[in-house]
Amino acid sequence: ARHVGVALPGRVRLENFYVPAGGDIPDAGVNEKFAHKLQFFDEMINWSDQISAPSILVGDLNVAPLPEDVWDHKALLKVVSHTPIEVEKMDQLMGAHSWHDPVRAQAGDDAKLFSWWSYRARDWEASDRGRRLDHVWVSPSLKKAVQRTEVLKPVRGWEKPSDHAPIIADFEI
């Protein structure tokens, strides 16, 4: 499943998504994986527009939307995960429910913020060529419930790690 949702106490929903990565070629006309990713976003936008309960959305959304969410904005504009069409779809998704991004809000607008570093980098930490592909968003009514967020970057350095670092978000609900 690419989406699992559960009801939490207090009428709050937790929605966990995995957006398809999209392959290597950012052209829906020649890459069916990229076309599928864009279609998945369209379905998420439609779903998001229908939400009525206060919700927390988490997951690997496979898009780094802001220039500060990638190690080199200009170099990655034609790389899947940071292309203008993906960023536009993510903006539409955020707008469909007026989602709030507490991880970015707490880090600050200008801070470099990554949750993913490629396995291909020999020294991923020194080069710090990351992307923020993992997200935590909240409904507007839960904005003040977020107490703290943190990307656990040291976990990426563990033996046999994921290429993603976990994100922690503490809530007072």
Side-chain angles (χ1 to χ4, degrees), residues 60 62 64 68-72 76 81 112-134 150-158 161-167:
D60 178 356
N62 269 313
E68 297 78 19
D69 293 335
V70 294
W71 63 275
D72 186 332
L76 294 176
S81 79
K112 285 288 189 181
L113 184 58
F114 309 144
S115 64
W116 177 92
W117 294 264
S118 175
Y119 284 130
R120 296 176 189 154
R122 291 179 191 237
D123 191 350
W124 68 273
E125 193 168 24
S127 67
D128 204 23
R129 292 182 170 201
R131 301 178 203 171
R132 183 169 73 121
L133 303 180
D134 307 281
E150 180 181 3
V151 177
L152 298 179
K153 184 177 178 178
V155 173
R156 176 60 179 82
W158 289 0
S162 169
D163 48 0
H164 296 260
I167 299 174

Side-chain angles (χ1 to χ4, degrees), residues 41-159:
F41 265 110
D42 288 339
E43 292 171 12
M44 283 182 74
I45 291 162
N46 193 27
W47 165 85
S48 187
D49 192 41
Q50 311 284 324
I51 294 174
S52 59
S55 301
I56 302 167
L57 185 153
V58 301
D60 178 356
L61 303 186
N62 269 313
V63 175
L66 303 173
E68 297 78 19
D69 293 335
V70 294
W71 63 275
D72 186 332
H73 171 64
K74 288 182 183 175
L76 294 176
L77 282 172
K78 294 182 181 179
V79 175
V80 172
S81 79
H82 189 63
T83 63
I85 185 71
E86 292 167 289
V87 170
E88 178 183 325
K89 293 289 185 184
M90 184 169 267
D91 286 345
Q92 291 173 7
L93 174 60
M94 287 193 85
H97 183 66
S98 299
W99 291 105
H100 171 68
D101 180 350
V103 180
R104 170 53 65 198
Q106 289 188 2
D109 291 341
D110 297 331
K112 285 288 189 181
L113 184 58
F114 309 144
S115 64
W116 177 92
W117 294 264
S118 175
Y119 284 130
R120 296 176 189 154
R122 291 179 191 237
D123 191 350
W124 68 273
E125 193 168 24
S127 67
D128 204 23
R129 292 182 170 201
R131 301 178 203 171
R132 183 169 73 121
L133 303 180
D134 307 281
H135 299 268
V136 176
W137 298 349
V138 297
S139 293
S141 63
L142 295 175
K143 187 176 178 177
K144 292 181 181 178
V146 181
Q147 303 299 300
R148 176 183 80 89
T149 65
E150 180 181 3
V151 177
L152 298 179
K153 184 177 178 178
V155 173
R156 176 60 179 82
W158 289 0
E159 187 176 335

